[in-house]
Every structure is written in C-alpha cells, then in structure tokens.
Amino acid sequence: MRGRQISRRSVLKGSLMASVIGGTGSFFGPWKENHAWAQGAKPIKLGLTCDASGQYGNSGQDDFRGIKMAIDEFNAKGGVLGRQVSFITADTETTPATGSRVAERFITREDCTILIGALHSGVANAITQVASKYGVIYMNTNSSAPSEAGENCSRVKFVWDGNGTNFSKASVKNAVDSIGKNWMLLTNDYVWGHTTSAATKAQVEAAGGKIIDNLLVPQNTRDFTAYLLKIQQAKPDVVATAIGGDDIKALREQVAQLKLDGKPAWINNQQDWPDVWGAPDSLFGVFGTTWYHKLQLPGVADFVKKWQAANKDGPIPVPGNVSYNGYMSTRELLRAIERAGSTNNVKIIKEIENLKVSATDRMQHFDAYMDPVTHQMQQTIYLARRNAKPADNTDLFEIISWTEPKSAADDAAPGKCKLTPYEQVPTVDS
C-alpha cells in the first residue's frame, strides 16, 4: 500500500445522491451534509460517524453536538488554512457492520479525508480498519475500551476518552482497602465490557482482592432480575459494572427499585452524561468521568454558555463528557491542521502525536498530552457520585476526586499497541 494516494473527488451527484437522501440507502440511517464553505475554495470535508440509534444513539447525538460546535467556531473565524470545514454524517446504528459501511462510503464516495466519532468500541474498531486501509485519519471521540489504544490501535487513529483501565486505576485500590476484598463483575458482553472488566480484575487482584464471579450481560438487556438475584445471593462487598448506554439506564432503575444501591457497594466504571440525564433518581455508586459542567475551573462556565447557545433546542440542557470529548477532539484536529500548514495526513498525525494541552485550555485539573506510542489522550480522570445537595436541576454529580494522567495511565497499552511506520501509511490529502 506504500505510495498509494487518495485525493479529493467531487461530491456524488444525480441519482446516486438522490437515492441516499431519499432513503434507498436506509441502512445508513439519517444522512446529512453541510454545504457551507468559502466562495471559490474547496472545503476540508469531515465524515462524522455518530450513532443516532441503538444502544448509544443518545450519546452519539451528544457527541455530534460537540463536534459541530468546534467546526462552527473555526468556520466563523474563516475556516482552516483559508478553507471552510464541511461535514457529512450518517447513523452508524451502534453496529460494527454499519460503521464499517458508513466509513467506506464516506472515504470512497463522499471524499472525506478525516473521520470523527463513535461510542461503541466494536464500531470504533470497525471504522479503524477501514480508515487504516486508506490512510484516513480517524478521531475516536468516545470509545473507552482499553483495546482501542492497545491491540486495536492504529497510526491513523487517536483515542480521546479515558478507558476502562484509567477509571479502574482511579477507583479500585481505594475501594478494596476501604470497602472489601470480595468483588463481582457485571459486564456487557462485547469488547468494551470484556476489556474494561479485565482491567478491573487486574487492579482488584493487585490490591489484594478477589473476583468471585463475572456475570456477562448481552447488549440491549432490559431485565436484570436474574443478575441482581445472583448478586443478592453471593453477597459481594463490591459490584463493578462495565455496562453502558441504554443498558446502564435500565440497570440503575432496577437496582434502585430493589434497594440494592446501598449494599453492596457499586463501582460503575464510567457514566456518560446522556445516560444519566433524565433519570437522576436512579444514579448510585461511585463512577468515573472525564469532565463535568460545574467544575470550578477557568473556561468551564464560558464553554457551557457557548454550548447552550449552539444547542438551544436540544434534549439535554448542558454539555457533558461526551459532547466535551467530541468538541475537544475536533478542536485539536483543526488546530493541528493549522500548525502543520497542510492537510497531508502524515503531517497532521505528527502534529497530534506531539500534542500537549494546558490544564486551563483543557478545562481540567491537570495538563493533558497525547501519548505518541498508543495515540490515547492522557488526561485528568474524575470520580463522582450522586449529588445529595444539587445547586440546580443539572447538578447531578458530586466530584469526589481527580487523578493526574500519569497515575491513571494504562501501563499495559504500550506493549500491545504496534503502530504502522509512517512510510507505510497511504498518502491522503484534502
């Protein structure tokens, strides 16, 4: 594949585009394109691989809001390198096969030379395989399986969320020491759940605890009765969950109904804001996040106001970690293009690999940086619990700790990640 080059082609016209917009390609879900660009200049065109349905449909659309906000900010200032930024988006349906087809179409038919988005780690890995084949940069905004920056890493992919290992390192040892050594795992039966629970198990055992059982839960489970009965019978000190999306919302409601939210203790690896909003009464246990809209840090209040102005009619009134990751990844991508002075993929990749972001610019407690070996953003990891004294109806979290990047780092990832040499990456330029 060395020396292969992808250049921009014209946007699909005529009957093919009409059939897509008209719905004959309906397995791609909603299909939208933004045509705004500077007169006479070709846009830098992005393909947004955001779920709009399935287990992570709500989070996928919150991801989209953050991505679009960053694009709009750059376009309002004149674009990037004198060119406006356009985008096309389609529903990846929380399904790896659909994610793969969308990525292929975006690259080969729609002239997208950069892809952004994904929640489900299986979808993200499917997109990665397509992007790697063509050399197209892929910004994985919100997939948090440790495998994304480990065995499934790629020279063209950058991972922007904290992963299961990061959150486990921030929470597990303290819980073993202060709560108890007997743990059960409740795990979504796909790559994110498996790798996150494996990371938790390693941390528990390193701290002197033991895993007495790991209950695998199929995706799209809505009745957790059988699993909760097993937990009641086993009487663990702690239950650590790796359950996401609509599944975790259903689990939280049933745990609250059965009054199991006090004992055993619960460690819920990461709670995405779209999964929490609308059901605050069922929020329980300790959980991780990468950002919160009421952090008392420079820039947070202004960011919230800008986000609210850009999303006045949206279903969620404030930004959370998912929108934040979408925004930050897109902002840093476009900044990297400006620093590179080029849309050449390898030049952009090298800029992002050397990325360092101050705590103030990042709106977190510690400086952040891109790991050039794994392509995962190393950032502050927060632990939170339900806020018993909220300041308003959006103040659902009480942030109880923050861990600096080096202390939460996934130490196993560098040994698993093997990046393709630059000279073997196909050349791509917008």
Side-chain angles (χ1 to χ4, degrees):
M1 293 175 64
R2 182 180 299 183
R4 180 175 180 178
Q5 179 161 343
I6 300 173
S7 60
R8 294 190 54 83
R9 292 167 294 279
S10 60
V11 176
L12 282 179
K13 298 180 180 179
S15 60
L16 178 58
M17 180 56 78
S19 70
V20 172
I21 295 175
T24 58
S26 59
F27 63 83
F28 291 116
W31 190 280
K32 300 177 183 178
E33 184 165 4
N34 176 354
H35 288 286
W37 56 75
Q39 186 67 32
K42 290 183 179 179
I44 298 170
K45 190 174 181 182
L46 312 178
L48 310 188
T49 56
C50 300
D51 293 337
S53 62
Q55 184 176 351
Y56 292 104
N58 291 332
S59 288
Q61 290 308 286
D62 211 38
D63 191 15
F64 172 76
R65 294 179 195 107
I67 295 168
K68 185 176 183 299
M69 179 177 164
I71 293 170
D72 289 346
E73 285 184 358
F74 275 81
N75 282 339
K77 296 184 293 186
V80 177
L81 304 182
R83 298 162 62 182
Q84 292 283 285
V85 181
S86 69
F87 65 83
I88 191 166
T89 183
D91 180 10
T92 44
E93 300 177 343
T94 317
T95 304
T98 304
S100 180
R101 291 194 296 268
V102 168
E104 186 83 29
R105 178 172 288 273
F106 278 178
I107 295 169
T108 64
R109 301 287 189 90
E110 299 297 337
D111 253 355
C112 298
T113 54
I114 298 170
L115 305 180
I116 308 177
L119 271 293
H120 187 287
S121 296
V123 175
N125 186 37
I127 294 169
T128 302
Q129 303 312 309
V130 177
S132 298
K133 178 173 67 173
Y134 294 105
V136 167
I137 291 172
Y138 170 41
M139 309 295 269
N140 176 357
T141 51
N142 275 286
S143 298
S144 52
S147 54
E148 280 297 286
E151 57 267 36
N152 293 334
C153 71
S154 171
R155 179 69 72 180
V156 302
K157 176 174 67 179
F158 293 91
V159 180
W160 294 86
D161 198 7
N163 71 26
T165 301
N166 303 143
F167 292 112
S168 293
K169 290 189 71 172
S171 62
V172 167
K173 186 179 187 305
N174 180 66
V176 170
D177 293 341
S178 62
I179 300 172
K181 298 183 182 299
N182 293 322
W183 288 50
M184 286 184 73
L185 304 178
L186 195 59
T187 304
N188 255 155
D189 193 6
Y190 77 100
V191 61
W192 168 72
H194 296 165
T195 53
T196 294
S197 284
T200 301
K201 179 177 184 291
Q203 294 297 317
V204 170
E205 292 176 345
K210 65 178 180 180
I211 304 299
I212 60 177
D213 204 353
N214 182 9
L215 306 180
L216 295 180
V217 180
Q219 292 180 77
N220 300 310
T221 292
R222 294 296 174 267
D223 184 358
F224 285 84
T225 303
Y227 303 100
L228 295 177
L229 286 173
K230 288 182 179 180
I231 290 169
Q232 284 181 309
Q233 292 166 358
K235 295 182 172 57
D237 298 312
V238 182
V239 178
T241 73
I243 307 289
D246 291 342
D247 292 6
I248 190 65
K249 289 188 281 188
L251 172 63
R252 290 204 319 264
E253 290 174 0
Q254 290 164 49
V255 168
Q257 288 167 1
L258 292 174
K259 301 186 184 305
L260 291 175
D261 48 334
K263 190 174 182 179
W266 293 78
I267 303 290
N268 299 309
N269 195 267
Q270 179 177 198
Q271 297 281 276
D272 287 337
W273 185 250
D275 298 334
V276 173
W277 180 252
D281 293 341
S282 65
L283 190 61
F284 64 88
V286 173
F287 48 88
T289 189
T290 53
W291 190 79
Y292 185 54
H293 71 284
K294 286 188 178 292
L295 290 172
Q296 299 299 304
L297 295 173
V300 172
D302 287 342
F303 177 80
V304 171
K305 289 178 182 177
K306 289 191 296 183
W307 188 95
Q308 289 174 322
N311 296 283
K312 292 178 181 177
D313 300 322
I316 299 178
V318 293
N321 62 303
V322 174
S323 236
Y324 166 84
N325 285 339
Y327 174 86
M328 282 290 172
S329 61
T330 308
R331 186 190 75 175
E332 296 304 336
L333 163 72
L334 299 178
R335 285 179 173 180
I337 295 173
E338 290 182 329
R339 291 195 303 273
S342 171
T343 53
N344 173 271
N345 60 333
V346 173
K347 290 181 179 180
I348 297 168
I349 287 168
K350 289 180 177 180
E351 285 293 336
I352 301 175
E353 286 177 339
N354 291 312
L355 177 65
K356 293 179 174 59
V357 187
S358 71
T360 299
D361 198 20
R362 184 77 181 161
M363 297 182 291
Q364 292 180 324
H365 277 76
F366 301 105
D367 294 349
Y369 64 94
M370 183 61 66
D371 186 333
V373 176
T374 66
H375 283 196
Q376 186 199 7
M377 193 65 172
Q378 305 299 302
Q379 60 186 298
T380 309
I381 298 296
Y382 295 94
L383 292 182
R385 62 189 173 200
R386 180 180 175 183
N387 192 349
K389 297 179 179 179
D392 57 45
N393 66 352
T394 72
D395 192 14
L396 307 184
F397 292 179
E398 178 190 358
I399 300 295
I400 58 176
S401 71
W402 43 90
T403 301
E404 60 183 326
K406 66 180 181 181
S407 296
D410 184 351
D411 298 328
K416 298 177 181 178
C417 176
K418 306 299 179 186
L419 298 177
T420 301
Y422 299 117
E423 61 271 18
Q424 294 179 20
V425 176
T427 300
V428 179
D429 202 315
S430 298

